[in-house]
Amino acid sequence: GQQVMQIPQYQHVQEGEDFTTYCNSSTTLSNIQWYKQRPGGHPVFLIQLVKSGEVKKQKRLTFQFGEAKKNSSLHITATQTTDVGTYFCAGPLYNTNAGKSTFGDGTTLTVKP
Amino acid sequence: DAGITQSPRYKITETGRQVTLMCHQTWSHSYMFWYRQDLGHGLRLIYYSAAADITDKGEVPDGYVVSRSKTENFPLTLESATRSQTSVYFCAGSDSSYNEQFFGPGTRLTVL
């Protein structure tokens, strides 16, 4: 079954509000990747975190990897309509799936202008 | 990304027919993956390949067959399509099994 959980499943925000999605794994991850999929599009790689406690920023996006390497978050400051889409986390679970990345079910963000 | 192309982009078929979805890469990714995406289930791995002539099952392989005789091509065949295989199929490439993946544009398959 699914061992990478994302919450919330859906998030509706007003443009300018902040947004956060959380990714939780049942086991330790060697790394965590984040992808964005625009409506009708394909997943596009955003970033990869490897180190425990790592924080990376891309303009208004902040990515964090938990100290125990079992959870991660993506925070968007002051959302814009261009942020609309589904955000997926993915990571290789130890002793599962032969080391291949498992994807969460994603958080779908809608932004009201 | 033009590195991964998929064809056809849209396909309608009937139950019981054989269907092959094509995936081609212009880069030299050693790993290639097939996923299906259904509402509420995110991306589920069907099959993957670590190199030419090396393939292995993913999370949901039943009803699918893959081959990889050349590094650049990774076709996915539905031997006898069923309605439950109606989905969007994505092919992806990577330099490893656990790092960033580059996805193709997807094939939307409808089985009537």
Side-chain angles (χ1 to χ4, degrees):
Chain A
Q2 183 62 264
Q3 294 178 282
V4 177
M5 307 298 292
Q6 279 187 257
I7 54 171
Q9 187 174 4
Y10 300 96
Q11 185 76 57
H12 311 282
V13 300
Q14 194 77 33
E15 188 173 22
E17 293 181 338
D18 291 356
F19 159 76
T20 304
T21 174
Y22 300 91
C23 180
N24 298 293
S25 168
S26 56
T27 64
T28 305
L29 300 163
S30 60
N31 68 64
I32 189 85
Q33 303 142 41
W34 284 93
Y35 296 79
K36 177 183 178 181
Q37 182 178 24
R38 294 181 186 275
H42 60 277
V44 174
F45 174 79
L46 293 176
I47 207 162
Q48 178 169 293
L49 306 173
V50 178
K51 298 176 183 177
S52 169
E54 188 171 12
V55 178
K56 287 189 176 181
K57 293 190 176 184
Q58 288 181 348
K59 297 182 180 178
R60 295 177 295 103
L61 278 62
T62 301
F63 304 85
Q64 292 188 324
F65 200 10
E67 293 290 340
K69 301 183 75 172
K70 285 188 173 183
N71 55 73
S72 181
S73 65
L74 159 58
H75 179 81
I76 301 178
T77 303
T79 55
Q80 301 175 358
T81 55
T82 54
D83 295 324
V84 163
T86 300
Y87 293 85
F88 293 97
C89 65
L93 303 172
Y94 284 131
N95 299 320
T96 299
N97 225 7
K100 299 180 299 302
S101 290
T102 298
F103 281 78
D105 284 343
T107 295
T108 299
L109 172 66
T110 56
V111 180
K112 184 182 290 186
Chain B
D1 293 273
I4 304 283
T5 57
Q6 293 184 238
S7 62
R9 294 294 312 279
Y10 302 91
K11 176 72 177 177
I12 300 175
T13 190
E14 294 178 339
T15 301
R17 290 190 179 269
Q18 183 178 66
V19 178
T20 295
L21 309 184
M22 304 302 294
C23 177
H24 175 78
Q25 65 160 329
T26 56
W27 298 334
S28 300
H29 294 304
S30 52
Y31 280 82
M32 295 187 78
F33 307 83
W34 273 107
Y35 294 90
R36 60 177 289 173
Q37 185 174 40
D38 306 296
L39 281 175
H41 286 280
L43 292 159
R44 291 186 291 177
L45 181 65
I46 305 171
Y47 269 95
Y48 73 102
S49 168
D53 297 322
I54 301 175
T55 62
D56 207 348
K57 296 177 180 179
E59 184 185 357
V60 288
D62 293 344
Y64 303 95
V65 174
V66 293
S67 62
R68 196 170 177 202
S69 56
K70 293 184 178 181
T71 304
E72 61 267 30
N73 295 321
F74 190 39
L76 175 74
T77 298
L78 289 67
E79 294 188 301
S80 179
T82 64
R83 289 193 181 89
S84 65
Q85 292 178 309
T86 292
S87 187
V88 180
Y89 291 84
F90 288 102
C91 179
S94 178
D95 291 333
S96 77
S97 67
Y98 50 86
N99 285 332
E100 62 182 289
Q101 296 181 26
F102 299 90
F103 285 80
T107 295
R108 184 173 295 275
L109 175 68
T110 301
V111 183
L112 301 176

